Amino acid sequence: MPSETVPLKIVARCRPLLESEQGSGKKVKVSGHNITLEHGGQENSFTFDNCYAAEVKANQIYRDSCDSLIQKALLGYNVTLMTFGATGSGKSYLMSGTYDDPGIIPCVNRSVFNSLEASKGKKEFFVTVSFLEVLDEKMLDLLNPHSDKMRVREHPQLGIYVDGLSELVVHSGEELAHLYEQGNRARKIGMTGDVGAHRSRATAIFFINIEQKDSSSKVGLRSTITQVDLAGIESADTSSSGKAVLEVIKASEQGGHVPYRNSVVTRLLQESLGGNAITLMFATISPADKSSHESLETLQNARRANRSVKNHVKVNLEETTSIISDLRDEITQLRSKVAMNNNNKDDVLRLGELIHDLQVAKRQTWEEKERMSAKFEEERKINLANKARCVSEQGILDWVMDTKKQGNKDVRERILLLQKEKDQLTLEYKRKREQINEMKEKLQTNIAAYSKLAESGQARESDTKQKVTAIHELKEKVKKETEQLKETKNRLKDVQDKLRAEKEAVQDQGQVKGNAELRQILEREERKRLEMEDHAVVVDELERVKLETQHQKAEIQMAVSQGRTYDQTEAMDMEMELVELRGEKSVVSLEIQVLQEEKMRLEKSLETAYKRQKEEMEIQQLQHFQTFRQYREMFEEQKTVLEQRYRNLLNDAIQDAVFLSTRNNELVQENQALKQEIAEQKDKLTALGGRAK
Ligand SMILES: Nc1ncnc2c1ncn2[C@@H]1O[C@H](COP(=O)(O)OP(=O)(O)OP(=O)(O)O)[C@@H](O)[C@H]1O
């Protein structure tokens, strides 16, 4: 199939000014395909395939500049999207983004399956992913952080690949996004052992391999979307992969040898930087004053890359079956040659290589990839959990929550909705509470003012009436608002209960069950929440009683000041009311006491449960340890027995050898003696013969 030569596409992206950089000045202007950067008092203009200012979101950049390339990938072309810029210029943000502002990779993940699913029925497709981090020339498998050695190798027909890197089969856009998120989280929480400043020197590469078969024809298409978050290209740091990419660009400009083999990343990007891939490079820059030198260098090097790196792209046909049969033919021929040429060293080495290539090609079948993927999936759960345990509890928690979320998308959505509802209700509740508090304060002030006026005995009837009406109205309002507050509170409680139930259901399915410490943290949080809720109820109740009492007092004062006398029935009613209020107060006090006792009881039972679980775990650990020790002792015993047996065998063999050697010597000597005797006999016979003559 003929190839087409295409230059590297360049998209310039200027990130926003950070809070810490405010006031440092904006040096970048973007207009259409042009970007202008001011440096050293001079304006430097560049024209690229596209240029984006800080306010443009990644999903728009994806739609404008990447979607057409992803559609090309679905037609069988390899496509690479890579960042290129200084540390802190916004490379990772652009590629990964955030929950609210998803980056390029999440957009690609979504688009790939949307498009593939649209062609369902006409085509069969098969998608796998791998996620790799390269730090200081060491490769780390982000989806399955194992410690087995990985190597960059080249297959004559399939191209460059990483031997030992997990390749997981994905069946949906959700799975794809989920694996990417998990790999990214593994990067973020430092599961792979890198921390702080080292991260800037790390390059992350997310591979999406797509194979498609037309239902009517046997030949399919194969393509790879390679998405690279490149390490910073600081000139001072000679070991970074960013720097190695820069060397490749410079060498391409000069012509001649291109040093792809100088670093793992350039080796892996060989096809993207001068081979069979359509490559888009995001030149990322910061608008800050202090970064203008680095920004200028980035844009200059991006222009260089656009002018000098030429890719030769073609549709990749899926030819595994013919590759396998070609390799088999070659191996058969070489085998006969090796047999005839008496194991010629070069032929034997070549035969070894061919057999390895055949094994790799055989692994390309969809069935084999599914089988391997299931194996990686099992391995990676163990590896990720182990790594997470070494890092932090939070890491485990994140990992666990995420696993469960993936297991049940509906639950995740329900939790999100409930969370949103809870936030809204909490806000409403707070607002209402504040309003009521203000009204209560006003009411108290009014009552106090009225009491003072009444006690002075100089109040005019119209004034008193007005004040009393105002107090009544306010009191009604407080009552109404308090009712509404109660209703909001009940709704909030309902939502909280539902949310808790959903979360508990999720937690029960996961590993939290086995993690006593983690469970204790959750239980403690839950207890604190309940205590606070109870406290709020008690405070509300007390306040209500206080307010009622004050109000009654004010009403009596008001009546007295109006010169009112009470008849016996009224006095009795009032007395009854007072008794009721007192009773109510003592009920609330009693409730507080009960709640406190309940709290203590719960605390105690939780402590006991925790202790019991801890003890059980310790016992289990001890049992495991004992079993392990028994096995080790058994193994040691068997080892000693075996060693003894081998030693005896060896001694026997040595003795046999010594005996045989001695016997051999004896036989040699006997042989010599016999030879001597024969010779002597011959001599004697010769002598006798002579005499007879
Ligand atoms: N579009 C954006 N909107 C808001 N903040 C951004 C944006 N782009 C980058 N940032 C912020 O700028 C800072 C640097 O970004 P980022 O970490 O992506 O840079 P980087 O080039 O990947 O750095 P490094 O090479 O150290 O990994 C971060 O605090 C990031 O949140």
Side-chain angles (χ1 to χ4, degrees), residues 143-144 146 148 164-169 363 367-383:
L143 294 181
N144 176 20
H146 57 78
D148 303 340
L165 178 66
S166 313
E167 194 177 347
L168 290 150
V169 177
R363 274 189 244 138
E367 296 74 22
E368 185 58 19
K369 281 191 176 176
E370 281 278 10
R371 199 184 64 76
M372 289 298 289
S373 176
K375 190 182 138 248
F376 288 139
E377 188 60 55
E378 270 182 22
E379 257 179 43
R380 81 189 202 97
K381 274 181 200 143
I382 300 165
N383 285 333

Side-chain angles (χ1 to χ4, degrees), residues 3 32 64 110 156 187 225 390 424 499 554 558 608 676 679 685 690:
S3 64
D64 274 10
R110 208 173 315 126
R187 266 189 101 188
I225 302 174
C390 301
Q424 274 170 358
L499 193 62
M558 207 158 69
T608 326
Q676 180 83 26
L685 276 173

